[in-house]
Amino acid sequence: MASQVATPSSLHTTVASSTASLSSPSSASPTQLSPDDVELLAKLEEQNRLLETDSKSLRSVNGSRRNSGSSLVSSSSASSNLSHLEEDSWILWGRIVNEWEDVRKKKEKQLKELVRKGVPHHFRAIVWQLLCNAQNLPIKEQYSELLKMTSPCEKLIRRDIARTYPEHEFFKEKDSLGQEVLFNVMKAYSLVDREVGYCQGSAFIVGLLLMQMPEEEAFCVFVKLMQEYRLRELFKPSMAELGLCMYQFECMIQEQLPELHVHFQAQSFHTSMYASSWFLTIFLTSFPLPVATRIFDIFMCEGLEIVFRVGMAILQMNQAELMQLDMEGMLQHFQKVIPHQLDSGPDKVIQAAYQVKYNAKKMKKLEKEYTTIKTKEMEEQVEIKRLRTENRLLKQRIDTLEKKGNPRYTEESILQLERELVQARLKEAESQCALKEMQDKILYMEQRNTSLPDENNVVRLQEELIGVKLREAEALTGLKELRQQVRDLEEHWQRHLARTAGRWKDSPRKNAASELQDELMSVRLREAEAQAELRETRQRMLELETQNQIHSNQLRRAELEARNLQDRLHVLSNQNKMLHSELQETKRKQAEIECKNKEEVMAVRLREADNIAAMAELQQQISELEIQKEEGKVQGQLNNTDSSQYIRDLKDQIADLKHEVIRMRFQSSLKKTFFKLR
């Protein structure tokens, strides 16, 4: 499974063999190569030279050749087993790499389609760098200096190195070259980003990069992924971005697979139990390595969207089986059954992934909802901490008073308690009066609001509702605080009574003081409850006033809209009358024009009949003249002197008549054409 992915050694040998095959005389001479092939050859030679000059990549070549055996892709097998389709793919990707800027700008859609079909493993090193724009990062120059420094995460990285791709030849052996370069890249990043430091899931991503390229390039690509692909937020200690992804993914399941979502809820099977590793490692720990690598191709081009799509596709393909399992069975299914479903290749799941509905705007909306929920939770936690602090301070104060207090009450203390009791009763009476006034006002507002129409148009009243919600939130917060204080007072008073139950049985004066203190505390509690009820009543009155204002505004808008509609109706009716009169006038003019046309047609037809009659007469005259001409010829034979002149006269008359006939025909054709045009 792991052997199907190219390692740095296979990349190096494949690039070398491809360069040799392109430059060999047997395949094509330099004069026969096209300009694109020459540029591709130069690019491959440059990559080969870079790999050869890197001492660590050379050691990677030697080590991987010793350790991998037949599992890695060799240059000879790759060059000998290339099919015609693979050769076309090689040439196509070579041209894409050569003309990367133009392709990225002008043919982005076609580039995405090609990436979804899979990047050839020979080109993954350079294509991944180009996709994330990591080929010329300035931080690459600092890599060697970072390796000389000491990171506080080195022990953790060393501990987890053996757990990263434990079955892959490049990382399997302890203290091998693969483990060494993986340690170097993770250590360097922990020094660059001290807030994130080191997270175990990131080692799988770095390991995949090291299978394709040398460690310096892998380090630059990993830095880009962390900065621009949301991975840094995923790997932060708080993992807030992971919580957001789980929330978005769960909402997608609830919308598109409601039955499966209900089953998950019934089994307490949370989304993070199976999907967190999908987002943290881009399926590298869950799927076979060739499948995960194909998904990683798309991730480099499109980001985390592919993780949501593939995750939903997996759930859709396994919904029927998951519905029959409990929590443990579903965990086993995700860990053992689903990976074997993908042994045949990634094409099926990728094709299903792009059938999944993914709405980017809705994901943004879910992100805002999640932020709001987390903000409220933080505020509640702060409020709970504050109340706990106040409670602790009150307990300390009570304990201090109990230690310092004297159980013997003097007359001055009793008088002080009596004065406090009178003041508390006055406040209670004032609260009761204010409460009664508020209740009367509420009844009046309710009676007034019953005559108003119901709320129908929410869009128009959003501005008023925003203010109402703000005031409601403030009132509810104050009410919550007051009720909490009342509960705290009751608890403190009960504890105080329990502690001092037997202290005042000796003296009537002490009993009187105890009764006064009890009554004072009861009055204070009733006062606090009355204040709470007063606040609640005020809040209710505020809501009714707001509703009254909303209904008034709605009525005012309705009246204004009705007036506008009446004015518009009046204007439209006037316009309708004007248009009706214009239509009648147009019909009358059209009738007159039709009559004129008919008259003109009749006149033209009459003139045509006259012309035809005249032409017939002229033709008759011509025939008569021709007869006379024949007769003249006969007579000319009898009288040679007069016949020639007579014949010339007849010819002139015949020519004049023919000209007249032609003129009349021309006039007739002109009139017909003019009539047709009209």
Side-chain angles (χ1 to χ4, degrees), residues 404-456:
K404 293 182 179 180
N406 189 354
R408 297 178 182 178
Y409 291 93
T410 61
E411 293 182 0
E412 294 179 358
S413 62
I414 293 173
L415 292 174
Q416 180 67 25
L417 288 173
E418 288 178 350
R419 284 194 296 270
E420 290 181 0
L421 179 61
V422 171
Q423 291 177 359
R425 286 178 176 174
L426 288 174
K427 288 182 180 180
E428 184 179 2
E430 291 175 357
S431 299
Q432 291 292 336
C433 293
L435 180 62
K436 187 175 181 181
E437 291 178 359
M438 295 294 290
Q439 289 175 348
D440 294 338
K441 195 169 183 180
I442 287 170
L443 289 174
Y444 171 73
M445 295 295 294
E446 287 179 346
Q447 292 174 358
R448 184 177 177 182
N449 285 334
T450 53
S451 61
L452 296 175
D454 294 333
E455 179 69 17
N456 293 322

Side-chain angles (χ1 to χ4, degrees), residues 102-117:
D102 293 337
V103 173
R104 189 71 181 266
K105 292 178 182 177
K106 299 178 182 179
K107 299 181 180 180
E108 186 176 0
K109 186 176 180 181
Q110 292 87 336
L111 179 62
K112 282 186 177 180
E113 292 296 329
L114 285 173
V115 172
R116 290 173 185 177
K117 293 178 182 178

